[in-house]
């Protein structure tokens, strides 16, 4: 690991550098890219879940004034390397899920393209689709790995015997529904094919310009340097923009048909439900065994998730359970149901979000069975070392988060008996308090490279192909660069979001600050060594993120504790959450202002998961019926009342030169469990299936 940087700009609550551009509407998002006389492409998507296309009737669409082309599997350009079903757009007449692209219209205006697309008629030879997600599916199978490369199943000790012989046992099944990311900015791309250079430029709403290049260059038969990807501003992604999807390929195909002319494609909200990924539904069996003092003897977590028939994605639901609490006998497994559904993908804290929900609800049930306070049970089973790897922690301060959070929240005065009408009772409202632990791994993705260049005005230009998806990366990377170069932040100009900049990893897995920041620190060190503190204008150096030797010596995670007050109406079953407190252990905080925003954003998304979010699939046709923001409910201002996010003052010397760990995702992990545990404390009704809708509390 490179030497730690001396903090000066790090730790300042610097305002977002792009804030003014965003609030004044001058920030350029993908679809805002200024191009001359663009064409517009509008997809036609399947209305059935499994079929063979008999015919695509295009005459009514092609005859409209302004229509330039109607692409179908019969006439679309052939792709060079689309071996994945997701990217083999219009390459076959097979339909594997509702919402799959089956044709597309290219026209002079968006309105004409959309109108023409509605006139395309597709004939299907329908086939029996697999749509039911159930625990007794005879075709469940074990994936070779779970996202990104974890073992599917793990066993240590003798779990079956230890659980069977444990004096206190909890054996429960928890369920979470299909959910969709729903960023405010829909997935969009502007594609330009340059015939002279035999190359393609994509102005894309993405979390990783280099990921798009790496995946799509072979699809189009291009050398990597012939595919440029630009992404200056992104209106949210929550993981769904972590890689390219079918719409990127469609835009590229259309651009190839009209070289030199820009082609714009922005998915509608409805189309994103089939083409931009989702969080898989889960069925999770959690088994916890403990002695009568509450010391855990056995931990088991078996997860069932679904995937698409055309591309496997296995969410790592049970992985967090492998390291969370001390127990000598452990078992985890994952099973997949391959269904005729769209392809699942990353959604904020994939794996940990649904998995820790189930584990932390089971911990609440175990605490009750042992006669222990839920905070005390978690403290009692805090492991001294990582139970899975045996490595020491780089900084596990979960107990401090729990203790400080309990004191700050007023936890010790909560209702001791679930459903009791004690002093917290408010008329028809039953009041309860819940807690859950939070965890997310400190991730680092190698290969990121940064470049430092001396400017004529005495400042420094720092380039890296990273993406700021709204997290504040542009600001905190500037702060890191300033400290690494030992100059004020005003003397640093950051260039990012373009494959013309040096290689950078994806903005995902809470890895950006560690990966990109470490590369920037390394480049600054090389620059000073090569050019000193008075460099001539134009002097430049670059460096790759160096390997961290401590990565194999320590187990590195961010931790936190979530406390929630929930009110449940005794007649209607309505749930309200007037108060939330998150206490986090994340190493050094680079920017308190942007960090607090990330914590509260994650907590809000967890609240939304707890109370509202559920994608409902029509069992006849396979499409999501509530595929818009009117029917897919998310938390709004009325749901979010008092939220507080605080963190421990600390530094992790093993994680990276900044002493930080990831913060972008931990805020959502455990939040839904804390809400569910609070509703149980309020009502005495244990709901083990999300979302916590009123009908589940009416008896």
């Amino acid at each position: 690991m490179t030497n730690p940087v001396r903090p000066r700009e790090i730790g300042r609550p610097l305002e977002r550098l792009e804030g003014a551009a965003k609030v004044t509407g001058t920030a350029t998002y993908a679809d805002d890219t200024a191009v001359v006389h663009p064409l517009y492409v509008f997809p036609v998507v399947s209305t059935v879940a499994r079929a063979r296309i008999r015919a695509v009737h295009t005459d009514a669409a092609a005859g409209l004034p302004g229509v330039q082309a109607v692409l179908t599997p019969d006439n679309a350009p052939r792709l060079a390397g689309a071996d994945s079903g997701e990217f083999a757009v219009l390459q076959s007449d097979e339909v594997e899920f509702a919402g799959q692209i089956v044709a597309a219209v290219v026209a002079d205006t968006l309105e004409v393209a959309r109108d023409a697309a509605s006139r395309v008629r597709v004939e299907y030879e329908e086939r029996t689709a697999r749509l039911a997600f159930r625990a007794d599916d005879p075709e469940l199978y074990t994936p070779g790995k779970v996202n990104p490369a974890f073992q599917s199943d793990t066993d240590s000790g003798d779990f079956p015997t230890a659980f069977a012989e444990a004096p206190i046992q909890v054996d429960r099944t928890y369920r979470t529904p299909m959910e969709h990311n729903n960023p405010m900015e829909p997935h969009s791309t502007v594609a330009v094919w340059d015939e002279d250079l035999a190359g393609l430029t994509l102005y894309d709403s993405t979390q990783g310009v280099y990921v798009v290049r790496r995946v799509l260059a072979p699809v189009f038969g291009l050398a990597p340097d012939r595919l440029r990807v630009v992404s200056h501003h992104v209106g949210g992604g929550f993981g769904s923009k972590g890689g390219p999807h079918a719409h990127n390929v469609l835009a590229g195909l259309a651009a190839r048909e009209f070289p030199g002319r820009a082609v714009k494609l922005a998915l509608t909200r409805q189309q994103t439900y089939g083409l931009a990924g989702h969080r898989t539904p889960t069925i999770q069996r959690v088994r916890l065994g403990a002695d009568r003092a509450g010391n855990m003897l056995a931990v088991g977590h078996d997860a069932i998730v679904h995937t698409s028939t055309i591309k496997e994605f296995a969410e790592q639901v049970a992985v967090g359970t492998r390291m969370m609490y001390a127990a000598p006998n452990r078992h985890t497994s994952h099973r997949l149901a391959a269904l005729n559904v769209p392809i699942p993908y990353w959604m904020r804290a994939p794996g940990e979000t649904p998995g820790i929900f189930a584990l932390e609800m089971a911990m609440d049930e175990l605490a009750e069975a042992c006669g222990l306070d839920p905070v005390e049970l978690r403290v009692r089973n805090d492991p001294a070392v990582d139970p899975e790897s045996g490595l020491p922690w780089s900084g596990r301060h979960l107990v401090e988060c729990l203790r400080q959070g309990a004191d700050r929240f007023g936890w010790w005065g909560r209702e001791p008996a679930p459903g009791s009408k004690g002093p917290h009772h408010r008329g028809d409202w039953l009041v309860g308090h819940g807690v859950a632990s939070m965890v997310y791994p400190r991730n680092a993705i190698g290969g990121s490279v940064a470049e430092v260049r001396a400017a004529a005005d005495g400042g420094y230009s720092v380039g890296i192909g990273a993406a700021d998806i709204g997290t504040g990366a542009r600001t905190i990377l500037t702060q890191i660069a300033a400290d690494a170069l030992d100059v004020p932040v005003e003397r640093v100009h950051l260039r990012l979001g373009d494959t013309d900049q040096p290689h950078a990893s994806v903005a995902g897995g809470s890895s950006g600050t560690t990966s990109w920041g470490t590369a920037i620190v390394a480049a600054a060190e090389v620059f000073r060594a090569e050019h000193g503190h008075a460099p001539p204008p134009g002097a430049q150096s670059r460096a790759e993120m160096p390997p961290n030797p401590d990565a194999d010596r320590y187990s590195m995670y961010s931790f936190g504790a979530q406390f929630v007050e929930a009110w449940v109406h005794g007649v209607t079953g309505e749930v309200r959450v007037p108060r939330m407190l998150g206490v986090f252990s994340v190493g050094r905080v680079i920017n308190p202002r942007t960090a607090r925003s990330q914590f509260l954003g994650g907590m809000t998304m967890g609240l939304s998961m707890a109370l509202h979010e559920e994608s409902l699939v029509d069992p006849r046709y396979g499409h999501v019926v509530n595929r818009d923001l009117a029917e897919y409910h998310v938390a709004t201002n009325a749901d979010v009342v008092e939220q507080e996010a605080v963190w421990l003052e600390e530094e992790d010397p093993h994680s990276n030169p900044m002493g930080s760990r990831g913060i972008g995702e931990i805020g959502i992990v455990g939040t839904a469990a804390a809400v569910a545990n609070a509703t149980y404390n309020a009502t005495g009704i244990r709901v083990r299936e999300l979302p916590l809708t009123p009908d589940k509390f009416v008896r």
Side-chain angles (χ1 to χ4, degrees), residues 292-295 366-377 380 414:
R292 299 193 184 281
N295 300 302
L366 180 63
E368 183 177 41
C370 293
L372 288 174
D373 179 88
V375 169
E376 179 56 33
L377 176 72
R380 191 164 296 188
R414 80 172 193 145

Side-chain angles (χ1 to χ4, degrees), residues 11-15 475-476 479 589-596:
R12 284 182 57 202
L14 188 66
E15 294 181 358
T475 305
I476 64 173
Q479 292 176 266
V589 170
I590 306 295
N591 184 317
R593 186 188 299 263
T594 58
R596 181 178 181 273

Side-chain angles (χ1 to χ4, degrees), residues 228-437:
R228 181 187 178 197
V229 185
V230 182
S231 182
H232 291 310
H233 294 281
V234 180
F238 311 114
S240 67
K241 297 175 182 175
H245 296 293
H247 70 283
N248 298 93
V249 178
L250 177 59
L253 285 176
R256 180 173 275 183
E257 288 288 273
F258 298 92
R261 192 165 181 188
V263 174
K264 287 192 171 189
L265 191 164
L267 294 180
T268 66
R269 181 67 56 183
Q270 290 78 11
Q271 289 167 348
T272 64
Y273 280 72
L275 295 172
H278 63 270
R279 196 193 300 281
T280 174
T282 72
I283 302 170
Q284 304 178 58
R285 182 187 183 190
V286 179
R287 288 172 285 175
L288 306 178
D291 62 22
R292 299 193 184 281
N295 300 302
M296 293 170 64
L297 305 172
V299 176
H301 193 162
D302 299 293
I304 300 172
V305 299
H306 82 198
T307 189
S308 172
T309 57
I310 67 170
K311 184 177 182 180
E312 182 180 282
F313 180 86
E315 186 152 342
Q316 70 277 29
V317 174
V319 166
T321 298
R322 297 172 183 174
M323 49 65 60
M324 196 58 186
Y325 296 111
N329 303 284
R330 320 175 70 80
H331 162 78
T332 64
S333 75
H334 297 81
R335 297 295 178 267
L336 273 181
L339 305 178
N340 292 107
V341 296
I343 302 162
Y345 199 56
W346 302 339
M347 186 169 174
R348 199 173 197 164
E352 280 77 9
T353 296
I356 297 299
F357 162 75
L359 175 64
E360 289 300 301
M361 285 201 69
M363 289 294 288
D364 211 61
E365 300 203 49
L366 180 63
E368 183 177 41
C370 293
L372 288 174
D373 179 88
V375 169
E376 179 56 33
L377 176 72
R378 289 168 171 82
V379 171
R380 191 164 296 188
N381 290 282
D382 192 67
V385 298
D386 186 329
E388 183 180 25
S389 67
L391 294 175
W393 305 104
S394 69
R396 178 176 172 124
H397 302 293
L398 176 58
V399 170
E400 291 94 320
C401 293
L402 288 163
R403 296 285 194 210
Q404 289 190 28
D407 292 340
R408 193 179 189 109
F409 189 76
W411 173 262
W412 308 114
R414 80 172 193 145
E415 304 291 356
S420 61
K421 294 186 178 181
H424 297 297
H425 183 59
R426 298 289 186 271
D428 288 332
W429 293 93
L430 304 173
V431 180
H433 299 108
V435 66
S437 296

Side-chain angles (χ1 to χ4, degrees), residues 190-208:
V190 178
V192 183
W193 184 268
D194 189 320
E195 190 71 19
D196 294 333
L197 295 176
L200 177 65
T201 299
L202 295 177
Y203 300 91
D204 193 37
S205 181
T206 179
Q207 295 172 219

